[in-house]
Amino acid sequence: MLDATRDSEDRMRQFVADASHELRTPLTTLRGYAELHAGRVEDPDTADALRRIRAEATRMHRLVEDLLTLTSLDRATLHLGPVDVRRLLDDVASDLQVAQPERLVTVETAPGVRLVADEERLTQAVMALGTNALRHTPVTAAVRLTAYATGGEVVVEVSDDGPGIPPEELARVWDRFARVSQGRAGGGTGLGLAIVAGIVTAHGGRYAALSPPQGGVTFRLVLPAGSQAEGP
Ligand SMILES: Nc1ncnc2c1ncn2[C@@H]1O[C@H](COP(=O)(O)OP(=O)(O)OP(=O)(O)O)[C@@H](O)[C@H]1O
Ligand SMILES: [Mg+2]
């Protein structure tokens, strides 16, 4: 029974991966034509229509890339190695700072916090949380990246002083395509946190989102410090 479920999950995953892959080429063509003709048309309504076709094709391209990432995330695809968490957080913080120079972004972590992980994937996860803070909170809200080691695990947190997420929405933010109703900025695919969850799960870790009544959100990732990422 378990084998049958797993088999059908594997086939569904393969189908999504194949379909996403097949969608890449026509999307690139669509975008290419829209770009080519955007500068040639005189009529403002047609120019506007082409601009919108291009923007939507770009958005769909991103969606397809996110779907491909989501289907490829499992333990077997991780490239594990030693990771200096302080350095990783410093790198993400400086990328966030470049993206939004007026935002206060701080890193708080003791030196020497290390773990065995896929550095690229972990960076992608922390970056997705940081980008969410930039995109879904006002620029006046500070963003903090923290990490500490405890009992064989490493806890990484991304917190902000934004408006927070209502309790009834908090549990479903990790779901695929979830977007909270009062989200400030549109344009995202709603797959960001599902990818973060997939990355953490592939590492054998856990994740949580906390939003106290006084506001702000803390996204917490708890990862095994050693290599726990083998096995079924
Ligand atoms: N720091 C935050 N403060 C408030 N709301 C947030 C925060 N981070 C995420 N959210 C809410 O959770 C939703 C889901 O986030 P998620 O990253 O999965 O999707 P997204 O940011 O909308 O799109 P993308 O796929 O481009 O990341 C967001 O749309 C937003 O409403
Ligand atoms: Mg996001």
Side-chain angles (χ1 to χ4, degrees):
M1 180 60 199
L2 262 178
D3 275 356
T5 312
R6 190 175 200 139
D7 197 42
S8 102
E9 268 177 24
D10 282 351
R11 270 186 296 156
M12 178 53 86
R13 187 199 283 247
Q14 193 56 50
F15 168 71
V16 175
D18 291 345
S20 307
H21 195 77
E22 290 298 318
L23 283 167
R24 267 176 166 170
T25 312
L27 271 174
T28 307
T29 309
L30 198 63
R31 210 161 50 154
Y33 274 113
E35 261 162 40
L36 188 68
H37 291 280
R40 293 183 182 172
V41 290
E42 307 255 308
D43 175 45
D45 286 347
T46 314
D48 192 48
L50 282 171
R51 190 184 52 77
R52 290 177 61 184
I53 290 171
R54 193 171 79 172
E56 288 303 299
T58 302
R59 198 167 110 81
M60 202 165 158
H61 197 262
R62 218 158 61 78
L63 183 63
V64 163
E65 293 301 322
D66 282 352
L67 279 171
L68 275 170
T69 303
L70 209 50
T71 56
S72 70
L73 280 173
D74 67 37
R75 296 171 185 215
T77 61
L78 296 180
H79 299 286
L80 297 174
V83 177
D84 178 339
V85 180
R86 167 96 216 187
R87 220 198 56 218
L88 187 151
L89 295 191
D90 281 340
D91 287 350
V92 171
S94 63
D95 287 356
L96 295 173
Q97 202 68 82
V98 167
Q100 241 177 48
E102 60 277 47
R103 174 84 66 159
L104 179 64
V105 181
T106 54
V107 177
E108 292 163 30
T109 160
V113 179
R114 299 184 149 271
L115 81 167
V116 174
D118 185 322
E119 181 157 11
E120 206 178 309
R121 290 293 187 203
L122 191 55
T123 305
Q124 182 185 6
V126 179
M127 192 65 198
L129 297 176
T131 307
N132 272 353
L134 299 193
R135 197 196 294 166
H136 302 296
T137 72
V139 73
T140 47
V143 178
R144 282 173 308 282
L145 311 179
T146 52
Y148 54 93
T150 170
E153 294 181 318
V154 170
V155 181
V156 177
E157 291 182 352
V158 177
S159 330
D160 65 65
D161 297 336
I165 299 175
E168 64 279 10
E169 314 253 26
L170 203 56
R172 60 172 201 94
V173 289
W174 302 96
D175 294 350
R176 280 168 247 170
F177 303 112
R179 269 169 288 178
V180 176
S181 47
Q182 72 215 45
R184 287 162 34 87
T189 60
L191 285 176
L193 287 175
I195 291 174
V196 173
I199 292 172
V200 173
T201 304
H203 280 86
R206 5 186 245 288
Y207 51 86
L210 318 161
S211 189
Q214 65 269 26
V217 193
T218 295
F219 288 94
R220 177 178 295 157
L221 314 182
V222 184
L223 296 147
S227 172
Q228 303 285 305
E230 61 266 318

